[in-house]
Amino acid sequence: MTSDLVTYFPLRKARVHEVYGPGSLSFAAVAAAQAGGDVFWIRERWRPEILNPIGLSAYVDPSKFLIAQVKDQAEGLAVMEDALRDGHLSLVVMELGEPLGLTEGRRLQLAAKAGKTIGLCRIPEGMGSNAAETRWHCTPVFDRDDSTLQRWEITKNKSGTLGVWHVRWNTTSRRLNVVSPALK
């Protein structure tokens, strides 16, 4: 059963969600734009790629980003838990490289609930946590006229409803538009 994307996006506050796939960075950027306010992005310092907030300026004002580079995933989870619980951020994103256990996932959910903050974990494929509220698979769709076309699919949802949408980011209005696959 597929329902309206607005039922699931913007992401539900006070919960932690997961995203994977080649379009996961775009998904996180759109989530940041939709959340409004400040974004805290946590990543392990060993990662070879660099996150540059200016590269995400089509989605969010770069001055709204705070990036933390942590020693390892354990330190990152502790930082994420504190940031979620604090309640002064709109979105906390963490890039995970290892599986997230149920206990760690539950701790993040409780922290997000306490701080009324949205949490988002960027995960490798096949590595989700049972504690996640939703899990999204995001892939770009080839369109020679528009590089922002994506296919978003909910592959896990605690409410039980799954769905697939083709979406396009409108840079001018900073809005996410749902488009028909036939009209891409």
Side-chain angles (χ1 to χ4, degrees):
M1 175 181 163
T2 299
S3 59
D4 292 333
L5 180 62
V6 295
T7 306
Y8 310 104
F9 201 88
L11 296 173
R12 186 173 161 202
K13 290 184 180 185
R15 302 301 294 162
V16 177
H17 309 267
E18 295 176 338
V19 62
Y20 67 97
S24 66
L25 179 61
S26 294
F27 181 92
V30 173
Q34 298 288 315
D38 295 325
V39 177
F40 189 47
W41 201 293
I42 306 161
R43 51 194 331 272
E44 295 175 72
R45 69 176 67 125
W46 62 263
R47 292 183 177 271
E49 66 278 349
I50 296 172
L51 180 67
N52 185 346
I54 294 171
L56 300 175
S57 63
Y59 301 92
V60 179
D61 177 355
S63 69
K64 297 289 185 183
F65 277 94
L66 178 61
I67 300 170
Q69 296 211 27
V70 295
K71 175 181 65 169
D72 56 23
Q73 185 162 307
E75 182 179 58
L77 290 171
V79 170
M80 184 175 193
E81 184 177 341
D82 287 344
L84 288 168
R85 184 169 280 112
D86 181 67
H88 287 92
L89 298 162
S90 297
L91 176 68
V92 179
V93 179
M94 182 169 175
E95 298 177 17
L96 298 177
E98 301 170 22
L100 186 62
L102 183 59
T103 301
E104 294 91 348
R106 186 70 185 132
R107 288 180 62 99
L108 293 178
Q109 291 293 4
L110 291 171
K113 184 176 181 182
K116 296 179 176 65
T117 304
I118 301 169
L120 181 62
C121 295
R122 289 186 63 213
I123 62 171
E125 190 163 347
M127 204 184 73
S129 167
N130 287 335
E133 178 74 13
T134 60
R135 183 172 308 122
W136 298 77
H137 181 237
C138 302
T139 56
V141 176
F142 176 74
D143 183 334
R144 62 186 144 152
D145 298 324
D146 183 3
S147 64
T148 67
L149 187 62
Q150 301 258 327
R151 180 182 184 272
W152 288 3
E153 176 181 7
I154 295 181
T155 59
K156 177 193 186 270
N157 187 346
K158 284 196 172 180
S159 71
T161 305
L162 306 178
V164 177
W165 301 270
H166 281 92
V167 297
R168 174 177 281 141
W169 179 253
N170 184 319
T171 305
T172 306
S173 66
R174 291 194 177 196
R175 289 187 44 158
L176 185 68
N177 299 320
V178 178
V179 296
S180 167
L183 299 176
K184 328 181 252 189

